mmCIF file with all atom_site columns, all heavy atoms in Angstrom:
data_model
loop_
_atom_site.group_PDB
_atom_site.id
_atom_site.type_symbol
_atom_site.label_atom_id
_atom_site.label_alt_id
_atom_site.label_comp_id
_atom_site.label_asym_id
_atom_site.label_entity_id
_atom_site.label_seq_id
_atom_site.pdbx_PDB_ins_code
_atom_site.Cartn_x
_atom_site.Cartn_y
_atom_site.Cartn_z
_atom_site.occupancy
_atom_site.B_iso_or_equiv
_atom_site.pdbx_formal_charge
_atom_site.auth_seq_id
_atom_site.auth_comp_id
_atom_site.auth_asym_id
_atom_site.auth_atom_id
_atom_site.pdbx_PDB_model_num
ATOM 1  N N   . PRO P 1 114 ? -36.294 72.709 -26.735 1.00 0.00 ? 330 PRO P N   1
ATOM 2  C CA  . PRO P 1 114 ? -35.749 71.765 -25.761 1.00 0.00 ? 330 PRO P CA  1
ATOM 3  C C   . PRO P 1 114 ? -36.761 70.663 -25.455 1.00 0.00 ? 330 PRO P C   1
ATOM 4  O O   . PRO P 1 114 ? -37.962 70.915 -25.416 1.00 0.00 ? 330 PRO P O   1
ATOM 5  C CB  . PRO P 1 114 ? -35.531 72.642 -24.515 1.00 0.00 ? 330 PRO P CB  1
ATOM 6  C CG  . PRO P 1 114 ? -36.517 73.766 -24.650 1.00 0.00 ? 330 PRO P CG  1
ATOM 7  C CD  . PRO P 1 114 ? -36.663 74.009 -26.126 1.00 0.00 ? 330 PRO P CD  1
ATOM 8  N N   . ALA P 1 115 ? -36.254 69.448 -25.254 1.00 0.00 ? 331 ALA P N   1
ATOM 9  C CA  . ALA P 1 115 ? -37.117 68.397 -24.691 1.00 0.00 ? 331 ALA P CA  1
ATOM 10 C C   . ALA P 1 115 ? -37.445 68.861 -23.269 1.00 0.00 ? 331 ALA P C   1
ATOM 11 O O   . ALA P 1 115 ? -36.559 69.300 -22.542 1.00 0.00 ? 331 ALA P O   1
ATOM 12 C CB  . ALA P 1 115 ? -36.378 67.073 -24.662 1.00 0.00 ? 331 ALA P CB  1
ATOM 13 N N   . ASN P 1 116 ? -38.728 68.821 -22.895 1.00 0.00 ? 332 ASN P N   1
ATOM 14 C CA  . ASN P 1 116 ? -39.104 69.327 -21.564 1.00 0.00 ? 332 ASN P CA  1
ATOM 15 C C   . ASN P 1 116 ? -39.607 68.206 -20.653 1.00 0.00 ? 332 ASN P C   1
ATOM 16 O O   . ASN P 1 116 ? -39.934 67.111 -21.094 1.00 0.00 ? 332 ASN P O   1
ATOM 17 C CB  . ASN P 1 116 ? -40.131 70.461 -21.684 1.00 0.00 ? 332 ASN P CB  1
ATOM 18 C CG  . ASN P 1 116 ? -41.433 70.006 -22.343 1.00 0.00 ? 332 ASN P CG  1
ATOM 19 O OD1 . ASN P 1 116 ? -41.789 68.835 -22.314 1.00 0.00 ? 332 ASN P OD1 1
ATOM 20 N ND2 . ASN P 1 116 ? -42.151 70.941 -22.949 1.00 0.00 ? 332 ASN P ND2 1
ATOM 21 N N   . ARG P 1 117 ? -39.677 68.527 -19.366 1.00 0.00 ? 333 ARG P N   1
ATOM 22 C CA  . ARG P 1 117 ? -40.097 67.525 -18.374 1.00 0.00 ? 333 ARG P CA  1
ATOM 23 C C   . ARG P 1 117 ? -41.566 67.148 -18.534 1.00 0.00 ? 333 ARG P C   1
ATOM 24 O O   . ARG P 1 117 ? -41.973 66.032 -18.223 1.00 0.00 ? 333 ARG P O   1
ATOM 25 C CB  . ARG P 1 117 ? -39.838 68.036 -16.955 1.00 0.00 ? 333 ARG P CB  1
ATOM 26 C CG  . ARG P 1 117 ? -38.379 67.964 -16.591 1.00 0.00 ? 333 ARG P CG  1
ATOM 27 C CD  . ARG P 1 117 ? -38.048 68.629 -15.276 1.00 0.00 ? 333 ARG P CD  1
ATOM 28 N NE  . ARG P 1 117 ? -36.602 68.808 -15.162 1.00 0.00 ? 333 ARG P NE  1
ATOM 29 C CZ  . ARG P 1 117 ? -35.776 67.881 -14.707 1.00 0.00 ? 333 ARG P CZ  1
ATOM 30 N NH1 . ARG P 1 117 ? -36.237 66.715 -14.311 1.00 0.00 ? 333 ARG P NH1 1
ATOM 31 N NH2 . ARG P 1 117 ? -34.471 68.119 -14.649 1.00 0.00 ? 333 ARG P NH2 1
ATOM 32 N N   . LYS P 1 118 ? -42.362 68.100 -19.024 1.00 0.00 ? 334 LYS P N   1
ATOM 33 C CA  . LYS P 1 118 ? -43.794 67.819 -19.208 1.00 0.00 ? 334 LYS P CA  1
ATOM 34 C C   . LYS P 1 118 ? -43.965 66.592 -20.103 1.00 0.00 ? 334 LYS P C   1
ATOM 35 O O   . LYS P 1 118 ? -44.810 65.740 -19.852 1.00 0.00 ? 334 LYS P O   1
ATOM 36 C CB  . LYS P 1 118 ? -44.479 69.038 -19.839 1.00 0.00 ? 334 LYS P CB  1
ATOM 37 C CG  . LYS P 1 118 ? -45.957 68.833 -20.123 1.00 0.00 ? 334 LYS P CG  1
ATOM 38 C CD  . LYS P 1 118 ? -46.589 70.074 -20.717 1.00 0.00 ? 334 LYS P CD  1
ATOM 39 C CE  . LYS P 1 118 ? -48.062 69.844 -20.988 1.00 0.00 ? 334 LYS P CE  1
ATOM 40 N NZ  . LYS P 1 118 ? -48.709 71.032 -21.555 1.00 0.00 ? 334 LYS P NZ  1
ATOM 41 N N   . GLN P 1 119 ? -43.159 66.504 -21.148 1.00 0.00 ? 335 GLN P N   1
ATOM 42 C CA  . GLN P 1 119 ? -43.274 65.379 -22.085 1.00 0.00 ? 335 GLN P CA  1
ATOM 43 C C   . GLN P 1 119 ? -42.373 64.203 -21.740 1.00 0.00 ? 335 GLN P C   1
ATOM 44 O O   . GLN P 1 119 ? -42.731 63.060 -21.966 1.00 0.00 ? 335 GLN P O   1
ATOM 45 C CB  . GLN P 1 119 ? -42.915 65.853 -23.499 1.00 0.00 ? 335 GLN P CB  1
ATOM 46 C CG  . GLN P 1 119 ? -44.002 66.625 -24.199 1.00 0.00 ? 335 GLN P CG  1
ATOM 47 C CD  . GLN P 1 119 ? -43.541 67.006 -25.598 1.00 0.00 ? 335 GLN P CD  1
ATOM 48 O OE1 . GLN P 1 119 ? -42.728 67.901 -25.767 1.00 0.00 ? 335 GLN P OE1 1
ATOM 49 N NE2 . GLN P 1 119 ? -44.061 66.334 -26.602 1.00 0.00 ? 335 GLN P NE2 1
ATOM 50 N N   . PHE P 1 120 ? -41.180 64.494 -21.237 1.00 0.00 ? 336 PHE P N   1
ATOM 51 C CA  . PHE P 1 120 ? -40.162 63.445 -21.121 1.00 0.00 ? 336 PHE P CA  1
ATOM 52 C C   . PHE P 1 120 ? -39.708 63.157 -19.685 1.00 0.00 ? 336 PHE P C   1
ATOM 53 O O   . PHE P 1 120 ? -38.835 62.326 -19.477 1.00 0.00 ? 336 PHE P O   1
ATOM 54 C CB  . PHE P 1 120 ? -38.941 63.806 -21.981 1.00 0.00 ? 336 PHE P CB  1
ATOM 55 C CG  . PHE P 1 120 ? -39.272 63.935 -23.433 1.00 0.00 ? 336 PHE P CG  1
ATOM 56 C CD1 . PHE P 1 120 ? -39.479 65.189 -23.999 1.00 0.00 ? 336 PHE P CD1 1
ATOM 57 C CD2 . PHE P 1 120 ? -39.406 62.818 -24.243 1.00 0.00 ? 336 PHE P CD2 1
ATOM 58 C CE1 . PHE P 1 120 ? -39.798 65.318 -25.345 1.00 0.00 ? 336 PHE P CE1 1
ATOM 59 C CE2 . PHE P 1 120 ? -39.723 62.932 -25.586 1.00 0.00 ? 336 PHE P CE2 1
ATOM 60 C CZ  . PHE P 1 120 ? -39.924 64.182 -26.140 1.00 0.00 ? 336 PHE P CZ  1
ATOM 61 N N   . GLY P 1 121 ? -40.293 63.861 -18.725 1.00 0.00 ? 337 GLY P N   1
ATOM 62 C CA  . GLY P 1 121 ? -39.931 63.614 -17.325 1.00 0.00 ? 337 GLY P CA  1
ATOM 63 C C   . GLY P 1 121 ? -38.436 63.771 -17.097 1.00 0.00 ? 337 GLY P C   1
ATOM 64 O O   . GLY P 1 121 ? -37.792 64.654 -17.660 1.00 0.00 ? 337 GLY P O   1
ATOM 65 N N   . GLU P 1 122 ? -37.890 62.859 -16.296 1.00 0.00 ? 338 GLU P N   1
ATOM 66 C CA  . GLU P 1 122 ? -36.467 62.916 -15.935 1.00 0.00 ? 338 GLU P CA  1
ATOM 67 C C   . GLU P 1 122 ? -35.550 62.716 -17.139 1.00 0.00 ? 338 GLU P C   1
ATOM 68 O O   . GLU P 1 122 ? -34.358 63.000 -17.081 1.00 0.00 ? 338 GLU P O   1
ATOM 69 C CB  . GLU P 1 122 ? -36.154 61.833 -14.880 1.00 0.00 ? 338 GLU P CB  1
ATOM 70 C CG  . GLU P 1 122 ? -36.827 62.076 -13.534 1.00 0.00 ? 338 GLU P CG  1
ATOM 71 C CD  . GLU P 1 122 ? -36.465 63.435 -12.935 1.00 0.00 ? 338 GLU P CD  1
ATOM 72 O OE1 . GLU P 1 122 ? -35.264 63.748 -12.841 1.00 0.00 ? 338 GLU P OE1 1
ATOM 73 O OE2 . GLU P 1 122 ? -37.396 64.196 -12.573 1.00 0.00 ? 338 GLU P OE2 1
ATOM 74 N N   . ASN P 1 123 ? -36.106 62.184 -18.218 1.00 0.00 ? 339 ASN P N   1
ATOM 75 C CA  . ASN P 1 123 ? -35.298 61.869 -19.406 1.00 0.00 ? 339 ASN P CA  1
ATOM 76 C C   . ASN P 1 123 ? -34.984 63.098 -20.266 1.00 0.00 ? 339 ASN P C   1
ATOM 77 O O   . ASN P 1 123 ? -34.128 63.045 -21.150 1.00 0.00 ? 339 ASN P O   1
ATOM 78 C CB  . ASN P 1 123 ? -36.068 60.839 -20.244 1.00 0.00 ? 339 ASN P CB  1
ATOM 79 C CG  . ASN P 1 123 ? -35.127 59.872 -20.934 1.00 0.00 ? 339 ASN P CG  1
ATOM 80 O OD1 . ASN P 1 123 ? -33.966 59.739 -20.537 1.00 0.00 ? 339 ASN P OD1 1
ATOM 81 N ND2 . ASN P 1 123 ? -35.611 59.233 -21.975 1.00 0.00 ? 339 ASN P ND2 1
ATOM 82 N N   . ALA P 1 124 ? -35.678 64.211 -20.012 1.00 0.00 ? 340 ALA P N   1
ATOM 83 C CA  . ALA P 1 124 ? -35.555 65.402 -20.869 1.00 0.00 ? 340 ALA P CA  1
ATOM 84 C C   . ALA P 1 124 ? -34.113 65.885 -20.989 1.00 0.00 ? 340 ALA P C   1
ATOM 85 O O   . ALA P 1 124 ? -33.619 66.158 -22.088 1.00 0.00 ? 340 ALA P O   1
ATOM 86 C CB  . ALA P 1 124 ? -36.452 66.525 -20.336 1.00 0.00 ? 340 ALA P CB  1
ATOM 87 N N   . GLU P 1 125 ? -33.444 65.960 -19.844 1.00 0.00 ? 341 GLU P N   1
ATOM 88 C CA  . GLU P 1 125 ? -32.068 66.474 -19.834 1.00 0.00 ? 341 GLU P CA  1
ATOM 89 C C   . GLU P 1 125 ? -31.147 65.606 -20.690 1.00 0.00 ? 341 GLU P C   1
ATOM 90 O O   . GLU P 1 125 ? -30.316 66.103 -21.451 1.00 0.00 ? 341 GLU P O   1
ATOM 91 C CB  . GLU P 1 125 ? -31.574 66.533 -18.385 1.00 0.00 ? 341 GLU P CB  1
ATOM 92 C CG  . GLU P 1 125 ? -30.272 67.254 -18.209 1.00 0.00 ? 341 GLU P CG  1
ATOM 93 C CD  . GLU P 1 125 ? -29.866 67.414 -16.748 1.00 0.00 ? 341 GLU P CD  1
ATOM 94 O OE1 . GLU P 1 125 ? -30.746 67.560 -15.865 1.00 0.00 ? 341 GLU P OE1 1
ATOM 95 O OE2 . GLU P 1 125 ? -28.648 67.385 -16.493 1.00 0.00 ? 341 GLU P OE2 1
#
Side-chain angles (χ1 to χ4, degrees):
N332 62 25
R333 284 172 194 275
K334 178 179 180 180
Q335 282 181 285
F336 299 99
E338 293 303 309
N339 214 19
E341 190 175 327

